[in-house]
Structure formats: structure tokens, C-alpha cells
Amino acid sequence: MPPMHDPRPGLPGQACAARVLPAGLFAILGLLAACGAEEPTAKRPVVGFSQIGAESAWRVAETASIVAEAEARGMELMLVDAQGRMEKQLEALRGFVAQRVDAVILAPQKEQGFEPVLKELKEAGIPVVLVDRGVQADPSLYATLIASDFVAEGRMAALWLAAATTGDVRIVELEGTTGSAPAIDRKQGFHAALAAHPRLRVVRSQPAQFALAEGKKQMEAILRSESEPFQAVYAHNDDMALGAIEALKAAGRAPGTDVLVVSIDATRPAFEAMVRGELSAAVECTPLLGPQALDAVQSLLRGERVEQRVVVADRLFEASQAAAELPNRRY
Ligand code: AHR
């Protein structure tokens, strides 16, 4: 149970709901009068949010959801964007300890490497809510993990591909950031499900950082070196799938027809690609985690217990459902 301490002496932060702090500037945060010179009127909880970056449309939507929810609840959010660099996330978290924030929301880039800083947060009495990705660390070092079941997402993609095809299917896999929970688990779920369908075979796996430009670049390289045609692409997220679709089209292949493309996230651009018939299916993984993350923070600040693991439910959408569902998409 974290102490309900006076957040950070000397911080003039009561007038702004959310401050976005480039990771490099975090160390001098205490010197900045970012929100004007007025004296604070009431004490509001201060929540540090360490975000990985903005590599995908999904992550941008997640950041917006958490910022909006903190604002709606009158909480002050210190958002530090690590610009895709794990060391900047660690630096931001140590900054939160120094600033004595009331709670931390952490979207960890990779599974490994967070345990020492999580210990420091625990020693400082700062509860940690993990969102969207898990870590390999003693579970007593964080209060809860609110995230999808990435293994199940990979499995759903594989089973859809098995049901949608006949004959031998050679698959190219575009992987997310190496060492991240979604890259590890989406691969594991997909490959495990394919074990029961030997006619479907992953012939190439290539990391592409969960990013559109990288997905395109990797697919261009794969197409250049292709010795035997492949019939499907499995991308660990939509952005990489959309990049791959651009590369396939430029190479004269017809995504959605010659090559089935299945991905994970189910963002609005993915739905638009499904409506165009270029993306064949997308497994939903919602980034709208703000309400659940801030609920957990508030429970913890009241001294209540929270579930150690909250699994966010996912489902798969096929291209045939896309036009009807598109108007409902919120990210
Ligand atoms: O951790 C969730 C994954 O990270 C999303 O699927 C992906 O788009 C993001 O960058």
C-alpha cells in the first residue's frame, strides 16, 4: 500500500492536467514552471506515465486514451515519451522516483531489463500499473498488468488463415520489436496453432519494429530475394501489414488476392484496407486502456487491492465485416 504523501515539493504542476516531457528534459523537470506561476489550490494525485514512443497508430491512440482519462479525472499526468528507446524509459522511471509521484503507469518496451527500476519504485512506495505489455520480473514489483493475451491473438490469426485457405501456404511473418512481449507471444501463439496445420508453413520471419516504414522496407527486401512465391503475410501489427501491402502492390502482387494479409490491432487504417480488399483479416487489440489504467491507479491510491492481471478481450474481424464495422472504430 503506497504512502499517501505530498507529491513533490516545489513542483508547480497543479494548473496543467497533462505535461508531455521529452525524455531528455525530464531531469530538469523540477526547474521548469511549465504551467505558470500560480500557487497550487488543491492537491491532485500526480501520475507518471512512461510511454515507449509513437511507433504505431495503436500506440498514439493508447497515449491519447490515457491522457484524456487522467484529464477527465482531474489527475495530473507526467507523460514521458521514450522515443522508442528502452534506456530513456528507465531514465524516466528513475525521474518519477526522484519526483515522488503518487503512482506510475508503465507501457514497457521489452520484457527484460525493468526489474531493478521496479524495485526502486517499490522501495519508494510508488505503485506501478503496467499497461499493454508485460515484463519478466517478480510480480510483487507491480500492482497489475492490464493487457491483451498476445498468445491468443497469434493463435486467432493462425486459425483464421488455416480456415481461409486450402493447399500449401507459404507464410512471411513480420515481427514486432525484438524482445517485446507482443512480438514474443504473437509469434508463439501463431506458430503453436500452425503445428496442427502442416500445410501452412512460415518460410521467413523478419523483425520490422511495429512500424509502417520498416514493414514496407522489409517486405521490399523479402520480395527482392524471394526464390519461391509466398501466399500469405502474418504481421504482428497493422502498421507493418500496411507497409507490406504498399510493397506488395509496388511489386505487382495483389494483397488480399494473391497474398492474404492478416495482422493484429484492428485500427481504423486497417479497416480501411480491409474495405479496399487489401487486408484480409485483423485481430482486435484495443489501445483504449485509459479508463482501466486510471481505475487501477485510483483504487491503489485509495489503498484498495487490484487484480494482478486484467486480460483485455480481443476478437477477429474479416474483410467481409469491415464496411459495417468501420463507422464504429474509435482508434
Ligand atoms: O503492445 C501492443 C503493440 O504495440 C501493438 O500491437 C502495436 O501496434 C504497438 O506498437
Side-chain angles (χ1 to χ4, degrees):
M1 157 62 196
M4 301 287 283
H5 54 242
D6 178 5
R8 320 100 300 136
L11 260 189
Q14 306 298 334
C16 281
R19 284 180 283 160
V20 184
L21 308 169
L25 289 182
F26 193 83
I28 55 164
L29 173 70
L31 302 174
L32 297 176
C35 299
E38 322 97 72
E39 281 302 306
T41 48
K43 241 196 298 183
R44 294 194 300 176
V46 177
V47 181
F49 173 27
S50 169
Q51 178 56 292
I52 296 165
E55 76 282 1
S56 61
W58 188 98
R59 191 153 303 286
V60 172
E62 181 192 55
T63 301
S65 171
I66 291 173
V67 167
E69 199 60 30
E71 202 162 301
R73 297 174 192 223
M75 302 174 89
E76 187 177 339
L77 193 75
M78 285 183 190
L79 163 60
V80 185
D81 177 339
Q83 294 158 346
R85 293 174 57 191
M86 170 98 174
E87 68 277 14
K88 289 203 176 289
Q89 278 211 287
L90 300 177
E91 192 184 299
L93 292 166
R94 296 206 159 95
F96 293 150
V97 173
Q99 297 294 332
R100 297 172 57 212
V101 299
D102 294 296
V104 160
I105 299 175
L106 166 61
Q109 186 186 41
K110 297 192 177 172
E111 282 193 344
Q112 303 284 348
F114 281 94
E115 184 145 351
V117 75
L118 288 174
K119 279 189 185 142
E120 291 166 38
L121 284 154
K122 187 172 182 183
E123 276 157 21
I126 300 171
V128 175
V129 171
L130 294 180
V131 285
D132 103 59
R133 295 183 182 182
V135 291
Q136 292 292 335
D138 176 350
S140 74
L141 297 177
Y142 56 89
T144 183
L145 164 61
I146 302 167
S148 292
D149 178 342
F150 297 136
V151 175
E153 291 174 346
R155 191 183 311 124
M156 269 190 256
L159 295 180
W160 178 84
L161 208 46
T165 56
T166 52
D168 287 345
V169 181
R170 292 164 53 83
I171 305 166
V172 167
E173 176 182 26
L174 292 176
E175 300 173 354
T177 309
T178 306
S180 69
I184 295 167
D185 293 353
R186 286 172 183 168
K187 184 179 192 74
Q188 188 197 316
F190 189 81
H191 286 249
L194 285 196
H197 300 274
R199 68 183 176 80
L200 284 88
R201 221 156 37 91
V202 175
V203 293
R204 192 86 182 256
S205 292
Q206 200 61 45
Q209 316 298 340
F210 285 122
L212 190 148
E214 195 61 23
K216 183 176 179 189
K217 188 172 134 196
Q218 293 304 333
M219 183 51 69
E220 285 165 352
I222 290 166
L223 287 163
R224 272 197 304 273
S225 63
E226 185 186 18
S227 51
E228 238 188 284
F230 54 89
Q231 294 78 34
V233 173
Y234 165 50
H236 291 188
N237 85 342
D238 291 344
D239 291 66
M240 295 187 293
L242 296 172
I245 285 171
E246 284 181 23
L248 286 164
K249 288 199 296 188
R253 306 284 285 271
T257 318
D258 296 353
V259 181
L260 299 189
V261 184
V262 55
S263 66
I264 298 174
D265 279 352
T267 54
R268 178 170 272 276
F271 268 80
E272 289 162 354
M274 285 198 281
V275 170
R276 289 194 300 274
E278 296 171 351
L279 183 69
S280 308
V283 178
E284 185 174 55
C285 174
T286 183
L288 306 178
L289 301 176
Q292 283 163 293
L294 274 302
D295 277 354
V297 165
Q298 287 184 314
S299 298
L300 291 163
L301 294 180
R302 285 194 298 266
E304 296 163 10
R305 292 182 72 85
V306 294
E307 290 291 324
Q308 172 96 56
R309 175 73 167 103
V310 177
V311 180
V312 182
D314 300 316
R315 56 176 288 204
L316 181 141
F317 291 92
E318 299 189 298
S320 60
Q321 301 166 291
E325 176 61 19
L326 183 56
N328 306 326
R329 298 316 290 169
R330 292 171 50 222
Y331 64 93

